[in-house]
Amino acid sequence: MENRRGGQMRGIPVASLVIGIASSPAQRRQLARTLGGSPALLIVSSVEQARDFLGVAEPAPTAVPTPAPAVPVRAAEPVPPPPAELAVDSDRRLLRWRDREVGLTRLEHDFLVCLTETPGQVWTYERLHQEVWGNKHLGRGSDMHSVVRRVRHKLTRLDAPVTVLAVRGVGFRLAPV
């Protein structure tokens, strides 16, 4: 039996979840860069959002009330994994959904491998650039956006129930349609 930080308890695998709380978009981007390597990462803008996501009751009020976030933010929702029928065939460099297939370029393939190996996880621009292009992310990222556009089009052609979702200012993740 190991501890809950990624080990096992009584023979049952336990998944780790890192929850980051940052009130501003700049702080959320920095947190995503810092914790982007975590297998499961959730970034919320307030403690209340984290409690809501975890289903934990709010503690009794304290003498100093917690200020509400300045910008209303949608509550974080758990992201289901992509359907098992969606597969990236690395040997033939194909994307397969049920009985349909579409060819992938090297960049599209490597990009999709990242997103499908950890569905729902946000991949930062920097991390994707390092994994797919093999260099640091510089400039406006038009090269990455071009790949994303082509991958979205191919997912649509296959009628796959997932898409590449942009997390503004942070990166991309695979999400249900």
Side-chain angles (χ1 to χ4, degrees):
M1 174 171 29
E2 296 179 52
N3 65 19
R4 295 191 67 131
R5 285 196 204 161
Q8 292 187 358
M9 293 188 67
R10 299 181 191 188
I12 301 170
V14 178
S16 296
L17 172 65
V18 175
I19 299 176
I21 302 173
S23 58
S24 75
Q27 290 171 331
R28 288 192 288 276
R29 281 191 295 276
Q30 180 60 37
L31 198 54
R33 283 186 204 104
T34 304
L35 301 175
S38 300
L41 173 62
L42 171 69
I43 299 177
V44 294
S45 62
S46 68
V47 172
E48 290 78 22
Q49 273 190 327
R51 283 191 188 114
D52 186 45
F53 175 79
L54 295 170
V56 176
E58 188 169 333
T62 59
V64 179
T66 307
V71 178
V73 179
R74 206 177 91 210
E77 300 170 7
V79 178
E85 297 92 356
L86 182 69
V88 177
D89 182 341
S90 292
D91 293 335
R92 297 174 38 212
R93 207 182 284 159
L94 295 172
L95 177 62
R96 184 178 310 115
W97 165 247
R98 294 186 176 165
D99 61 340
R100 302 176 74 189
E101 296 177 337
V102 65
L104 299 171
T105 67
R106 184 194 67 80
L107 293 175
E108 293 165 350
H109 169 269
D110 294 353
F111 180 81
L112 273 168
V113 165
C114 290
L115 269 60
T116 57
E117 75 183 20
T118 54
Q121 176 183 327
V122 176
W123 280 71
T124 64
Y125 299 121
E126 290 80 9
R127 188 163 175 224
L128 279 167
H129 236 278
Q130 191 63 49
E131 293 291 323
V132 178
W133 282 265
N135 58 27
K136 297 240 185 245
H137 172 67
L138 301 170
R140 295 179 25 197
S142 58
D143 52 353
M144 190 176 303
H145 289 283
S146 174
V147 169
V148 169
R149 189 173 33 256
R150 293 192 318 259
V151 166
R152 284 177 179 154
H153 179 72
K154 289 179 180 186
L155 286 166
T156 301
R157 278 183 26 208
L158 293 175
D159 292 325
V162 296
T163 190
V164 177
L165 184 68
V167 179
R168 187 179 177 124
V170 179
F172 297 97
R173 69 179 172 95
L174 200 60
V177 177

